[in-house]
Amino acid sequence: MSGASDKARFYLEQSIPELQEFERKKIFSKDEVASIAKRRSDFEHKLNGRGSAPADYARYAEYEMNLETLRRKRTKRMGQKYTGHTGQKRISFILDRATRKFHGDIGLWMQYLDYSIKQKAYKKVAQILTNLLRLHPTKPELWIYAAKYVMEDQGDMTSARSYMQRGLRFCKQSKELWLEYARLELIYIAKIAGRREILGLESHLFEKASQPALDDHEADHIALPVITAEDINPGLSTDDSLDQDVLRNLSKTPVLTGAIPIAIFNAAMENFKDVAFGERFYNMVIEFNSISCIGQISKHIVNSLMSLDSTSPASTNCFIRQPLAGVQTSSPEFPAILSVVLKQLSIKIEMHPSLDFLDRSMDWLLSYISIGDIDPDIRTVIIATLSRIMSRYRTVIETNNGGLSDRIVDLLRGFQSNGLEKLFLSTLAWSSEIWPLHPGLFALKDSMVNKGDECQ
């Protein structure tokens, strides 16, 4: 025990000059300095004694963070621009000791990372990430965190790709890591598209780019072409025809044609061969509906899913929705395309009225209803389609003697939140007949009664 006390005393002695400065400059009173020393002594003896836990280090670091915040406020109020001692080094030292002793506790590592990022200690962040990933290479969420950090905070897409590709070597079976890698690439495409728009490089000047060859699924890295200043600044040339050729070539680079997300999808499907995962990938891709290459990416995904299992509800759902990929609800083409899609949907519902497929159809139709500025006529058509699907839904449920009561409650909440009162009431009425004692349906009925009482 004496060894632990000696170590605690050693660390406490190192803070004596800091406490003396606080008292000399009247940042803290004598009693406050004594209280700080007492708290630090308690923490150090607990940390260096037997039975210390990760929570002890976390509380110690949090105490020092609060103390540092108070010190900064007081020095600012007193007009003192600089003191010889700041808490950043001390807090980092505490967290470094914590992660060395409890290197398996991810919470401590994340606290260390969050603090270092807030302090803009970027070299320290890089060092922490290196140590963390060396100790926990099989945790996909850590590779995702590292890639997002360097992409969003540092703007370094090369390092972000490196983290993702290294992560896939250790976590090849992580579906989430594959999805997040593709999402990262799509975010990058969206950023480039935004910059192109600012530069006036309108997409209507370009022809549709042909899909590049993606034969090497085993490659660790995807090489991108070098783009010069002349490529992105047509004003450097006086020949208009040359300008358009340069811009057309730029639009055909792998970054802008979606070749990299397609390559990621191909490699993932080669690994999983799972249509449910393919559907998740498709749903993630269409979140970036404003990117010009989304239509091409979605078509490739659908073709792959249909070749794998054309009868699966997941494949059929993606196949029917695909014409809408990349089409904005405000565009003139949207109503005509939606009409064709809804006709195909009605045919499929009559031919294969499985609950899985009906569920998927309800979800994507409700996503369009939730768009605030959608045309009222289009909204009416979608609501009518939802009503027909719910009628079919009821028939299938009654034929199978009930089931999926919780799913019906989720749908009712979706109808209620999107203002579909008529559909909500009709569905609530027949579902209450099938499941008269379901607590979720009772709660929805009570909410209707309470709403009516408030209106009176």
Side-chain angles (χ1 to χ4, degrees), residues 110-394:
M110 299 312 296
Q111 185 180 9
Y112 196 5
L113 279 169
D114 291 342
Y115 175 74
S116 300
I117 291 171
K118 287 179 182 177
Q119 299 301 313
K120 299 182 179 180
Y122 299 125
K123 289 185 179 179
K124 175 67 71 174
V125 172
Q127 180 184 353
I128 297 168
L129 284 173
T130 300
N131 294 335
L132 175 59
L133 293 172
R134 186 184 295 122
L135 290 167
H136 302 279
T138 59
K139 294 186 181 295
E141 63 272 16
L142 298 180
W143 294 105
I144 294 170
Y145 178 93
K148 285 185 175 179
Y149 163 73
V150 296
M151 171 67 175
E152 295 172 2
D153 288 41
Q154 303 296 315
D156 187 352
M157 187 60 190
T158 301
S159 296
R161 283 197 187 104
S162 176
Y163 277 124
M164 285 296 190
Q165 291 168 356
R166 286 162 55 199
L168 287 171
R169 294 174 192 168
F170 292 100
C171 314
K172 195 174 183 179
Q173 299 305 314
S174 171
K175 294 179 179 179
E176 199 64 31
L177 188 57
W178 286 101
L179 288 170
E180 290 302 321
Y181 184 15
R183 188 192 302 275
L184 199 73
E185 292 290 351
L186 289 168
I187 291 172
Y188 185 55
I189 294 173
K191 288 184 176 181
I192 292 179
R195 291 171 184 171
R196 284 166 54 81
E197 187 175 351
I198 293 173
L199 291 172
L201 309 181
E202 299 295 339
S203 60
H204 70 265
L205 293 175
F206 310 130
E207 300 172 355
K208 267 193 170 180
S210 58
Q211 181 179 326
L214 302 169
D215 297 324
D216 189 5
H217 301 305
E218 301 299 326
D220 290 331
H221 300 278
I222 300 172
L224 299 180
V226 177
I227 301 174
T228 64
E230 289 80 3
D231 291 332
I232 63 172
N233 188 357
L236 295 178
S237 172
T238 57
D239 187 349
D240 291 340
S241 62
L242 181 60
D243 287 348
Q244 294 199 7
D245 288 339
V246 169
L247 297 179
R248 189 175 293 110
N249 291 333
L250 179 59
S251 71
K252 294 180 180 180
T253 59
V255 174
L256 296 180
T257 59
I260 299 177
I262 290 174
I264 296 169
F265 172 79
N266 288 344
M269 290 302 291
E270 186 70 23
N271 187 44
F272 297 116
K273 293 182 173 62
D274 179 12
V275 292
F277 170 76
E279 184 185 32
R280 286 183 63 192
F281 202 103
Y282 180 90
N283 291 334
M284 183 274 296
V285 164
I286 61 174
E287 291 175 9
F288 300 86
N289 210 38
S290 60
I291 301 176
S292 60
C293 62
I294 288 301
Q296 180 178 338
I297 299 172
S298 63
K299 188 176 294 184
H300 178 85
I301 294 172
V302 167
N303 291 339
S304 177
L305 295 180
M306 294 300 287
S307 64
L308 186 62
D309 185 358
S310 60
T311 62
S312 166
S315 300
T316 308
N317 173 53
C318 295
F319 174 76
I320 289 176
R321 298 162 58 193
Q322 195 280 322
L324 292 169
V327 181
Q328 303 298 310
T329 56
S330 57
S331 68
E333 301 85 7
F334 182 77
I337 297 174
L338 178 64
S339 176
V340 173
V341 168
L342 293 181
K343 286 179 182 178
Q344 289 291 325
L345 178 60
S346 299
I347 294 172
K348 290 291 183 182
I349 288 173
E350 293 300 324
M351 292 173 58
H352 306 287
S354 70
L355 287 174
D356 284 344
F357 180 67
L358 294 175
D359 266 338
R360 288 171 163 84
S361 302
M362 295 291 294
D363 286 339
W364 71 263
L365 286 170
L366 281 172
S367 69
Y368 279 105
I369 288 291
S370 63
I371 299 175
D373 59 348
I374 194 168
D375 184 89
D377 293 334
I378 295 176
R379 179 183 172 89
T380 301
V381 171
I382 295 176
I383 292 173
T385 305
L386 286 170
S387 299
R388 288 196 297 272
I389 294 175
M390 286 310 299
S391 297
R392 197 63 169 161
Y393 209 103
R394 178 182 182 181

Side-chain angles (χ1 to χ4, degrees), residues 18-48:
E18 175 190 18
L19 296 176
Q20 289 175 339
E21 181 184 7
F22 289 164
E23 185 177 356
R24 185 176 67 254
K25 293 187 175 181
K26 299 182 179 180
I27 298 173
F28 294 102
S29 66
K30 185 175 182 179
D31 290 340
E32 288 174 330
V33 169
S35 176
I36 293 169
K38 176 68 169 58
R39 290 295 302 275
R40 285 180 174 175
S41 176
D42 292 342
F43 278 122
E44 288 293 348
H45 280 87
K46 184 175 289 186
L47 263 53
N48 291 283

Side-chain angles (χ1 to χ4, degrees), residues 4-17:
S5 297
D6 290 343
K7 189 179 291 187
R9 190 178 301 111
F10 171 75
Y11 290 132
L12 290 170
E13 286 175 354
Q14 290 182 327
S15 69
I16 289 175

Side-chain angles (χ1 to χ4, degrees), residues 79-96:
Q80 298 182 12
K81 294 183 179 181
Y82 175 76
T83 60
H85 300 275
T86 61
Q88 181 178 344
K89 185 177 180 180
R90 183 177 186 83
I91 295 165
S92 295
F93 180 59
I94 293 169
L95 292 171
D96 185 64

